């Protein structure tokens, strides 16, 4: 969809799985920055196309692109957290439209939800907080590290690359990383893995 440079797209599409090409609306909200398609494509190439049986958390869901993408590729549980009531309602509407039984949308604080998920052995946690919420990155990474299992992954989108030393202090190791425009993206593993 065409949009003016600098303005967010009005929709994104699911790239793979049972809902491939399904549209997800993008609300005009400050700080809402959907994961670019080519970044999502790279991420799911890294994770594998088939996530059958996986349990994932999309802690700052926004458009839900990461959580719905995982569910489309077979995740048995995709928990989407969104603080903004209008965005949470939009996520719920998409869930209903797609008949996405594996997706659960919860309005609330993604960081608090991650902390509550400690020790639950999730397969993946997706972290894509608003870039201006700099204070949330470190505690979110620490909580995500505690929520995933020993073979789990944490995906981080940030305005800058995170160093191996910074990540190690939070219990995580850099597995893969890339950059697309202003977005630095990282796939992380538990340090012990």
């Amino acid at each position: 969809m065409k949009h003016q440079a600098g303005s967010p797209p009005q929709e994104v599409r699911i790239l793979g799985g049972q809902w491939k090409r399904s549209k997800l609306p993008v609300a005009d909200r400050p700080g809402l920055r959907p994961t670019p398609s080519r970044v999502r494509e790279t991420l799911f190439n890294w994770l594998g196309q088939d996530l059958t049986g996986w349990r994932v958390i999309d802690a700052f869901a926004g458009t839900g692109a990461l959580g719905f993408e995982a569910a489309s590729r077979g995740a048995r549980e995709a928990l989407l957290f969104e603080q903004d009531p209008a965005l949470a309602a939009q996520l719920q509407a998409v869930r209903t439209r797609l008949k996405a039984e594996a997706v659960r949308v919860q309005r609330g604080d993604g960081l608090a939800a991650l902390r509550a998920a400690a020790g639950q052995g999730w397969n993946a946690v997706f972290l894509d907080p608003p870039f201006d919420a700099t204070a949330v990155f470190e505690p979110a990474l620490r909580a995500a590290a505690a929520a995933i299992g020993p073979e789990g992954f944490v995906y981080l989108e940030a305005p800058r690359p995170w160093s191996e030393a910074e990540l190690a202090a939070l219990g995580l190791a850099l597995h893969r990383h890339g950059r697309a425009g202003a977005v630095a993206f990282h796939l992380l593993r538990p340090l012990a893995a």
Side-chain angles (χ1 to χ4, degrees):
M1 169 162 268
K2 288 190 183 243
H3 61 281
Q4 296 190 325
S7 70
Q10 284 148 359
E11 62 188 30
V12 293
R13 290 181 188 267
I14 294 174
L15 301 172
Q18 65 177 322
W19 305 310
K20 185 176 183 172
R21 291 192 269 293
S22 295
K23 296 174 184 176
L24 303 176
V26 177
D28 186 10
R29 286 281 196 276
L32 183 62
R33 187 190 28 71
T35 301
S37 294
R38 80 170 211 250
V39 172
R40 273 186 293 127
E41 189 171 355
T42 299
L43 169 62
F44 287 93
N45 284 337
W46 290 345
L47 290 175
Q49 300 298 318
D50 182 0
L51 304 186
T52 299
W54 283 40
R55 296 169 58 241
V56 305
I57 296 175
D58 191 348
F60 305 92
T63 64
L66 294 170
F68 281 112
E69 190 77 50
S72 182
R73 293 165 189 260
R76 76 175 155 97
E77 188 175 356
L79 201 43
L80 280 58
F81 289 94
E82 178 50 55
Q83 190 115 14
D84 181 303
L87 291 178
Q90 185 173 282
L91 290 169
Q92 194 60 52
V94 170
R95 178 192 183 275
T96 301
R97 176 171 50 90
L98 295 176
K99 297 179 179 65
E101 297 299 317
V103 174
R104 282 194 338 220
V105 176
Q106 294 190 355
R107 185 176 156 220
D109 180 353
L111 182 54
L114 281 177
R115 287 178 171 142
Q120 293 180 5
W122 292 82
N123 299 97
V125 171
F126 302 122
L127 300 176
D128 182 12
F131 280 4
D132 60 359
T134 51
V136 84
F137 281 88
E138 195 170 305
L141 283 163
R142 190 179 307 281
I148 58 171
E151 301 297 316
F153 294 94
V154 174
Y155 171 73
L156 170 68
E157 238 173 77
R160 66 169 179 88
W162 280 63
S163 73
E164 295 198 40
E166 286 176 298
L167 294 165
L170 302 171
L172 293 164
L174 191 59
H175 180 61
R176 295 233 168 122
H177 63 94
R179 186 159 198 117
V183 176
F185 54 99
H186 315 70
L187 189 60
L188 313 170
R189 301 297 307 262
L191 203 50

